[in-house]
Amino acid sequence: DKKWKAAVAATADVARALCPSEVVADYEKRSSEPHLIGLHTDHLANERTFIPVREGSKRVGRADAKVVQDIVLNGLGIQTQHCTIARSADKCSITPAESAEVLVNGEKCAAGKAKELSHNDRVRLGAFQTFRFVMPGSVGSADAQFNIQHAENEIREASKASHGAGISDGNIDASQQETIGRLLPMVNEANNISEELKRGINFMLKMVAKQGKGGTGSDVQVQVTYSNGDEALWDADTFLDRVYEMRDIYDQFISRGRDLMYVNNKFTGAADPFAKKSDEAVVGRAMIYLDAVNHLLAVHETTPIIDYKGFTRGELKVELDLQLPNVADKDAAAKFDELERVENLKGKQLRVNLKVVGIRGLPSNFCEDAYVSFRFFLDDKPNSTPKQSNKTINPKFNYEKAWNLVVTDELCSYLASDVLEFIVYAKSSGGDPVGGGGGKDAAGPEHIDDDAMQQLQEKEEELQELKLQLSEQKVEMERKLRAKAGGGGGGESKLSESSEDVEDLKDHIDFLEQKIESLEAQKKQLEVTIAERDNDLQEAQNQLDDDEETMQQQLTKIQELEQELAAAKKSKACVIL
């Protein structure tokens, strides 16, 4: 018993040292003053964190804040200065800081505006820190229902408006509801990690139309919007894999003292879970209804390619032909007319030949490395055409695939009610690959230039910040060198430590100089890009002016011809005729 009490006392001392703001369980005070009690999915951690809300105004934030925080919290999404909790004699309120995530009962609180707290209100700070507000005089048996599951459910419902598109209980089935419930918290987590790592990437759930048995259905995917306006769609499995990788980056970011340059330098290219891979750029989907095949008819069709916004992104030409074993092609047509439907071939063999001829009319800024992927009947993995090596809006594939099938009830049902879906992939070469087509709202050079100018401004700001850090590091190194030269007490051990410090500073300075050099090159490239786009805009304007002048000349010519025609109609020869 003595050993146990000693261990508890030692643990309490460690907890107080780590959490000087009293974010420690203190059960004796719970009956006398308002407090926040921590909610957690782990029952061993649930209701073990206690934050007293004393009279006055208390700052809540991270330990690395420039101004000392009264209540120190850590974790994803917690800002250096996160919020302020104020209490008067009979009221308590919470006021979020700018850009801080504070939810009360699932609803986001506006920055700078006080939100009054009532007994059993659920408070979410950052991505995961969840509390229940307790007013001791109002404690009752009903309090137990306001647990972490209750808080997560109301946050999930509220999140559908901000992190979901077209998501409501009325247009999704039970399986999709389960997927949404699993993905929404992770979408919120991914957005918080993106914000802390300054990636400028936004994640949002999207219900994507999908053809299947019985007609049109939908699939839950994650829409990724990049800082330059490009968009991509990730399926649920891809998104979950990426979130686990994001967590690893964030853990290293925290363990390295929130060193942003370190993680940005280490996690690049294939190691960057935020990066857009070339094979995930979906141009759109094309559908071929198989009912004609069910009636033993060949299908030679050009079908539109539709993106997830409903815009046409070109046309796909495919050919589906049928063959019977040991029957000549010239006799097969008469045999198919006699049989009429596939079901009359049950137990016999049928050969299905598919040819993906090509695409015409792809967007000019979304046509590099184009290829088509599809599955037919019981294919266990997708079939893909070769990638088009040339950049062209009209790629040709002439890809052929054949299946020798035994006609079964399953095949008959598939052909009678399903569709063959083709997914068209390509790499974006800039602009608006998945936006609307044409019109005043379509993306154009001016929009691209705005993005380039914004990137240039961001590079300039980052460059200035790095130069300031470099200057500070050089001053610090000079101070260390003077201290080393001055000697002093401490002997060889102190001199050794000083030498190591100077070497570390030199390494950091070298790293900063390399980073500045890289940013200078990127800035110069952006300036060149903007200048080129300005020239393109000017050339386009000149061409437009020339076209308008030509059109005016043609209109004048038409008017002259109309006048000549009217005069000719009045001539004596015309009257005689």
Side-chain angles (χ1 to χ4, degrees):
D1 187 51
K2 289 181 179 179
K3 289 183 179 180
W4 171 254
K5 288 182 179 178
V8 170
T11 303
D13 290 340
V14 172
R16 290 188 187 93
L18 291 173
C19 304
S21 57
E22 296 177 308
V23 187
V24 190
D26 190 347
Y27 294 94
E28 294 179 358
K29 296 179 181 177
R30 293 189 184 186
S31 60
S32 61
E33 60 184 4
H35 58 271
L36 292 170
I37 191 77
L39 302 179
H40 203 281
T41 52
D42 184 350
H43 73 280
L44 294 176
N46 188 46
E47 297 196 355
R48 293 295 185 268
T49 302
F50 168 72
I51 302 178
V53 180
R54 300 198 171 99
E55 288 195 20
S57 181
K58 303 294 182 184
R59 289 186 293 266
V60 181
R62 296 202 308 259
D64 61 339
K66 292 181 180 179
V67 178
V68 176
Q69 302 297 293
D70 302 298
I71 299 173
V72 175
L73 294 176
N74 292 304
L76 182 60
I78 299 295
Q79 306 295 316
T80 51
Q81 171 64 59
H82 198 86
C83 63
T84 302
I85 298 178
R87 174 191 162 194
S88 59
D90 58 348
K91 289 184 179 180
C92 290
S93 65
I94 186 167
T95 305
E98 191 68 33
S99 76
E101 183 84 354
V102 176
L103 307 178
V104 175
N105 301 332
E107 298 294 334
K108 185 175 177 65
C109 298
K113 293 186 177 181
K115 170 71 174 176
E116 188 171 338
L117 298 177
S118 301
H119 180 61
N120 280 332
D121 277 351
R122 282 74 59 203
V123 179
R124 167 67 64 87
L125 304 179
F128 299 113
Q129 298 272 14
T130 309
F131 303 90
R132 178 167 60 86
F133 179 69
V134 179
M135 288 291 285
S138 304
V139 173
S141 58
D143 295 357
Q145 66 178 300
F146 299 106
N147 52 22
I148 186 64
Q149 286 77 22
H150 183 96
E152 292 288 355
N153 287 339
E154 62 189 1
I155 290 171
R156 185 181 304 123
E157 289 302 314
S159 294
K160 287 180 181 178
S162 57
H163 297 316
I167 296 177
S168 64
D169 292 338
N171 61 5
I172 56 177
D173 57 31
S175 174
Q176 291 169 336
Q177 181 70 49
E178 182 181 353
T179 302
I180 290 168
R182 184 163 49 102
L183 291 180
L184 267 176
M186 303 188 82
V187 167
N188 182 53
E189 180 182 359
N191 280 320
N192 276 281
I193 294 176
S194 171
E195 183 178 352
E196 290 214 24
L197 298 182
K198 302 188 185 306
R199 293 304 184 96
I201 299 172
N202 180 258
F203 300 89
M204 183 174 70
L205 287 186
K206 196 82 174 177
M207 298 296 290
V208 179
K210 187 177 183 181
Q211 292 282 7
K213 282 189 176 181
T216 303
S218 57
D219 189 24
V220 183
Q221 297 193 9
V222 178
Q223 177 182 312
V224 189
T225 305
Y226 294 88
S227 56
N228 64 352
D230 282 358
E231 294 176 341
L233 284 174
W234 293 351
D235 59 40
D237 291 336
T238 299
F239 174 67
L240 292 175
D241 290 342
R242 297 290 189 91
V243 169
Y244 289 121
E245 295 176 18
M246 292 175 199
R247 287 174 179 172
D248 180 48
I249 293 181
Y250 184 76
D251 288 342
Q252 295 201 40
F253 170 63
I254 295 298
S255 66
R256 300 281 301 195
R258 309 183 77 86
D259 189 341
L260 194 58
M261 285 191 295
Y262 170 78
V263 294
N264 286 343
N265 189 54
K266 181 176 180 180
F267 297 96
T268 58
D272 183 5
F274 292 94
K276 180 170 61 175
K277 307 297 190 292
S278 61
D279 62 350
E280 64 196 18
V282 178
V283 180
R285 301 166 189 264
M287 311 289 179
I288 295 292
Y289 288 89
L290 297 173
D291 190 54
V293 180
N294 182 49
H295 287 82
L296 298 172
L297 299 173
V299 177
H300 290 198
E301 190 170 330
T302 300
T303 182
I305 301 165
I306 308 298
D307 70 10
Y308 74 94
K309 293 182 178 180
F311 294 109
T312 300
R313 289 295 174 181
E315 295 178 322
L316 176 69
K317 185 176 181 180
V318 295
E319 298 175 357
L320 261 173
D321 292 293
L322 304 176
Q323 286 182 310
L324 290 172
N326 304 319
V327 176
D329 290 344
K330 63 180 181 179
D331 299 326
K335 186 68 174 176
F336 287 146
D337 288 342
E338 178 186 339
L339 292 168
E340 291 188 347
R341 299 172 70 91
V342 170
E343 62 186 17
N344 295 319
L345 281 169
K346 282 184 183 178
K348 298 180 180 179
Q349 284 194 331
L350 178 67
R351 181 180 176 88
V352 180
N353 301 309
L354 172 67
K355 182 177 182 179
V356 180
V357 180
I359 300 171
R360 63 187 184 195
L362 280 177
S364 60
N365 56 356
F366 205 29
C367 61
E368 290 185 29
D369 294 341
Y371 70 98
V372 180
S373 176
F374 61 91
R375 292 175 189 259
F376 179 77
F377 193 36
L378 299 179
D379 288 343
D380 56 351
K381 61 181 181 179
N383 306 286
S384 295
T385 68
K387 289 184 179 181
Q388 175 59 251
S389 57
N390 298 324
K391 180 181 177 181
T392 173
I393 64 172
N394 302 313
K396 302 294 182 185
F397 303 111
N398 292 317
Y399 173 81
E400 297 184 19
K401 176 77 176 177
W403 296 265
N404 291 309
L405 305 169
V406 175
V407 178
T408 61
D409 289 336
E410 191 175 7
L411 176 62
C412 294
S413 175
Y414 171 73
L415 295 176
S417 61
D418 220 323
V419 297
L420 180 54
E421 180 184 63
F422 299 88
I423 305 176
V424 180
Y425 295 87
K427 286 173 64 176
S428 169
S429 58
D432 178 24
V434 291
K440 289 186 288 186
D441 295 330
E446 293 183 6
H447 174 73
I448 297 172
D449 281 348
D450 288 343
D451 288 341
M453 290 298 294
Q454 184 178 354
Q455 291 179 45
L456 183 62
Q457 184 177 355
E458 290 172 356
K459 294 294 182 188
E460 184 67 38
E461 290 173 357
E462 188 177 355
L463 196 58
Q464 293 302 323
E465 184 179 347
L466 284 173
K467 286 181 177 179
L468 180 61
Q469 290 183 30
L470 180 61
S471 176
E472 291 173 349
Q473 292 294 321
K474 286 182 176 180
V475 170
E476 178 66 13
M477 188 173 74
E478 289 176 3
R479 188 184 66 79
K480 294 277 188 184
L481 287 171
R482 285 198 300 270
K484 180 181 177 183
E492 294 181 3
S493 174
K494 190 168 184 178
L495 284 172
S496 175
E497 290 177 5
S498 177
S499 298
E500 290 175 1
D501 289 344
V502 170
E503 289 302 318
D504 288 343
L505 281 170
K506 284 181 178 178
D507 291 341
H508 199 188
I509 287 171
D510 288 343
F511 175 75
L512 286 172
E513 288 176 340
Q514 292 173 10
K515 187 71 175 178
I516 288 172
E517 184 178 350
S518 173
L519 281 171
E520 291 278 13
Q522 293 176 35
K523 177 187 169 186
K524 191 170 183 179
Q525 182 59 45
L526 278 170
E527 290 172 343
V528 171
T529 301
I530 290 170
E532 289 174 350
R533 288 173 179 171
D534 284 342
N535 290 335
D536 291 342
L537 278 172
Q538 188 59 51
E539 290 178 5
Q541 185 62 50
N542 293 340
Q543 183 63 47
L544 182 61
D545 293 341
D546 292 342
D547 291 344
E548 287 179 352
E549 185 178 351
T550 301
M551 185 175 65
Q552 190 61 45
Q553 292 172 354
Q554 290 174 344
L555 287 172
T556 303
K557 185 67 175 177
I558 289 171
Q559 290 173 354
E560 292 174 353
L561 289 172
E562 287 176 343
Q563 291 172 359
E564 291 177 7
L565 180 61
K569 285 180 179 179
K570 295 177 182 179
S571 68
K572 186 174 181 180
C574 186
V575 170
I576 292 171
L577 287 172

